[in-house]
Amino acid sequence: MKNFIFFDIDGTIISEDGYLPESAVRAIQAARKKGNATLINTGRTAMNVDPFLREIGFDGYIYGCGTELEYDGKILFHEKQTPARSREIVELVRRTNVAVLYERSDAIFIDRKARMLPDLQKLLELYESKQLSFADVPEDGDWYTDKFVIWYDGESDLEGFQAGLTGKFDYIDRGNGFAEMVPCGCSKATGMEKMMQLLGADRSHVFAVGDSLNDRPMLEAAGTGIAMGDSPMLHPYADYITANLADDGLEKALAHFDLI
């Protein structure tokens, strides 16, 4: 039976500074050549998955923490926020003094009426260097978002912000004044489970590879969860711990399970 291998991106396929080991490319391509299905499972929306990653060769993608599923070039599922809900979030962000980046499948948006904190400015500069465009949040019309991220500091009303999310979005604190918001009921795990159901994949033939705590649900939903070696916080939730990414951890993990 075919195996299905789900990969996180940042810290799993590439390092946080964008380094892509040749061994990671070699391993993913070898796994696919052996007849396994390879899939990305990421918090990034579709437009934010770099072309050089797509060129490695993947059978499918779970984008935006389970908000959109693609397999064999076809969109199988996409959960979008309504314009009314999206506008509620815009007002909440402005009221609670946080900085924001809105993400959806086809675009990234900034809000010039919200705060601009240094880490958001650095990210926008990175996007510009990669020629990845972003737009301003319009004041009216049918604008919507899929998910969003915020940056906060001592001047932010974080408690009020979190209260305003109740029943709408799950709040995932990523540390260092940064948090990710995904629609209630959506996660890397639910996206993976939905994909498994649509493809008729048996859980015992599903592998997931990640590096941070937001990958924990994905690892626990898989038949076999694999953590990268330099991710000690994730290790208690993994079935197998491989080497660091730079030490060919991805390739060593797939070889250990005879997937390449």
Side-chain angles (χ1 to χ4, degrees):
M1 182 179 288
K2 177 187 288 189
N3 295 301
F4 295 80
I5 314 167
F6 293 82
F7 301 91
D8 169 55
I9 293 178
D10 300 290
T12 302
I13 298 176
I14 61 174
S15 66
E16 295 299 336
D17 60 2
Y19 168 64
L20 172 62
E22 290 184 12
S23 62
V25 176
R26 186 168 61 238
I28 294 167
Q29 292 177 341
R32 199 177 187 202
K33 186 176 182 180
K34 194 169 181 177
N36 303 300
T38 59
L39 304 96
I40 278 180
N41 192 353
T42 180
R44 301 187 189 194
T45 53
M47 74 162 298
N48 203 13
V49 176
D50 302 272
F52 75 87
L53 290 169
R54 294 182 183 277
E55 289 169 2
I56 296 172
F58 293 93
D59 296 280
Y61 300 85
I62 298 173
Y63 303 112
C65 289
T67 57
E68 184 176 8
L69 276 60
E70 176 186 335
Y71 192 82
D72 197 23
K74 299 176 182 178
I75 301 301
L76 306 182
F77 172 82
H78 190 185
E79 178 164 332
K80 307 174 183 178
Q81 297 302 298
T82 65
R85 171 62 55 79
S86 300
R87 188 58 56 185
E88 288 176 15
I89 295 301
V90 168
E91 297 305 321
L92 175 67
V93 163
R94 292 175 180 175
R95 188 170 64 249
T96 54
N97 217 24
V98 298
V100 67
L101 185 75
Y102 295 103
E103 304 170 282
R104 73 184 197 199
S105 180
D106 61 342
I108 297 170
F109 298 88
I110 60 171
D111 184 359
R112 298 187 189 276
K113 292 189 176 181
R115 293 182 71 195
M116 176 62 70
L117 289 173
D119 284 345
L120 172 55
Q121 184 61 52
K122 289 178 185 177
L123 181 62
L124 296 179
E125 290 169 0
L126 173 63
Y127 285 167
E128 288 177 336
S129 72
K130 294 165 64 174
Q131 297 184 324
L132 187 64
S133 61
F134 48 88
D136 293 340
V137 171
E139 287 302 311
D140 52 24
D142 294 330
W143 176 83
Y144 68 92
T145 189
D146 289 350
K147 62 185 288 284
F148 64 105
V149 295
I150 66 159
W151 291 259
Y152 60 88
D153 62 11
E155 298 179 20
S156 305
D157 177 11
L158 191 59
E159 184 176 338
F161 173 78
Q162 291 174 312
L165 295 176
T166 303
K168 304 169 186 174
F169 285 84
D170 289 327
Y171 176 91
I172 306 170
D173 199 304
R174 303 290 295 274
N176 299 315
F178 177 64
E180 182 175 26
M181 268 52 61
V182 296
C184 289
C186 285
S187 70
K188 287 187 174 184
T190 63
M192 191 171 75
E193 289 167 346
K194 191 178 273 89
M195 181 74 85
M196 289 159 55
Q197 182 180 17
L198 290 169
L199 299 179
D202 187 290
R203 184 173 180 271
S204 64
H205 289 268
V206 174
F207 297 77
V209 193
D211 76 297
S212 63
L213 277 180
N214 75 327
D215 294 318
R216 174 185 170 181
M218 175 176 79
L219 265 61
E220 293 180 332
T224 302
I226 301 168
M228 303 303 291
D230 47 359
S231 311
M233 290 188 296
L234 189 61
H235 291 176
Y237 312 103
D239 299 299
Y240 180 77
I241 300 166
T242 187
N244 296 347
L245 175 64
D247 295 328
D248 304 330
L250 202 59
E251 187 172 50
K252 289 174 180 176
L254 299 191
H256 175 82
F257 289 102
D258 196 30
L259 295 169
I260 58 177

